[in-house]
Amino acid sequence: NPGAKFGVLYIYVLVIGLAIGIYYVNNLDNLSRQKVPPVLADTTVVTDIVVKKAMNVPPININEVKNSTPELLADGEKLYKTNCASCHGENGAGGGPASMGLNPAPRNFTSKDNWKNGTKISGIYTTLQEGLLPSSMASYDYLLPVEKFALAHYIRTNFIPDSDKDSDDDLQALDATYNLS
């Protein structure tokens, strides 16, 4: 009789389902709890802010750094590889490994279009000193003025095609703005 077989099988399925349910309810604490203790140890470290020693920024002579020299270019290359190549790339085209996800993308130095401060030394120096907000171009105001000039000369010499030249008035205005001398 198929009905009797189904009735006996139904009881077995019901008993197995009930056993699984009872096992689940008895182990509910183990199943639903995390193994992380509810109170974490305090890992906060309280220290005083370190006071930096004041330093004098050495003055520079604009007339000495307005033209590129082999020493300035060598220093600029080191600074570029350390600070800039991660975003702007080794070849200055803007595709460095750290440029992923930056919006807007880092500047392609090989293109002369759309420079916010221009391709003159004074414009590049201004960009390095102040950064470009709201883009991800940070300020490099921690560099010494001669280092910023070295970096600007390296970028202009190696990446920017026929860049604009600074007039003496541009350089004097830069000197007056940032008190370089």
Side-chain angles (χ1 to χ4, degrees), residues 45-54:
V45 177
V46 178
T47 59
D48 289 334
I49 296 175
V50 178
V51 177
K52 287 179 133 181
K53 287 186 176 181

Side-chain angles (χ1 to χ4, degrees), residues 52 55 83 128-129 138-145 147-148:
K52 287 179 133 181
M55 72 175 216
N83 298 299
L128 291 170
Q129 179 66 30
S139 167
Y140 286 90
D141 57 353
Y142 58 87
L143 294 176
L144 294 174
E147 292 174 328
K148 286 181 251 184

Side-chain angles (χ1 to χ4, degrees), residues 60-69 72 121 125 145-150 152-153 171 174 180:
I60 60 170
N61 184 351
I62 293 281
N63 293 323
E64 291 177 4
V65 294
K66 71 178 181 181
N67 297 319
S68 66
T69 62
L72 279 176
I121 288 290
Y125 188 95
V146 71
E147 292 174 328
K148 286 181 251 184
F149 271 99
H153 281 299
L171 294 173
L174 183 70
L180 300 173

Side-chain angles (χ1 to χ4, degrees), residues 89-162:
E90 291 290 329
N91 60 357
S99 68
M100 300 305 224
L102 294 180
N103 188 12
R107 158 147 300 289
N108 176 359
F109 290 135
T110 60
S111 170
K112 197 173 174 188
D113 299 333
N114 301 324
W115 284 72
K116 298 221 188 273
N117 292 323
T119 59
K120 296 178 180 180
I121 288 290
S122 57
I124 297 171
Y125 188 95
T126 301
T127 301
L128 291 170
Q129 179 66 30
E130 298 176 4
L132 291 175
L133 294 176
S135 75
S136 18
M137 175 61 193
S139 167
Y140 286 90
D141 57 353
Y142 58 87
L143 294 176
L144 294 174
V146 71
E147 292 174 328
K148 286 181 251 184
F149 271 99
L151 190 53
H153 281 299
Y154 179 78
I155 291 169
R156 278 189 56 194
T157 303
N158 292 306
F159 304 125
I160 303 173
D162 52 308

Side-chain angles (χ1 to χ4, degrees), residues 155-170:
I155 291 169
R156 278 189 56 194
T157 303
N158 292 306
F159 304 125
I160 303 173
D162 52 308
S163 58
D164 298 328
K165 303 292 181 211
D166 282 293
S167 67
D168 287 337
D169 292 337
D170 292 335

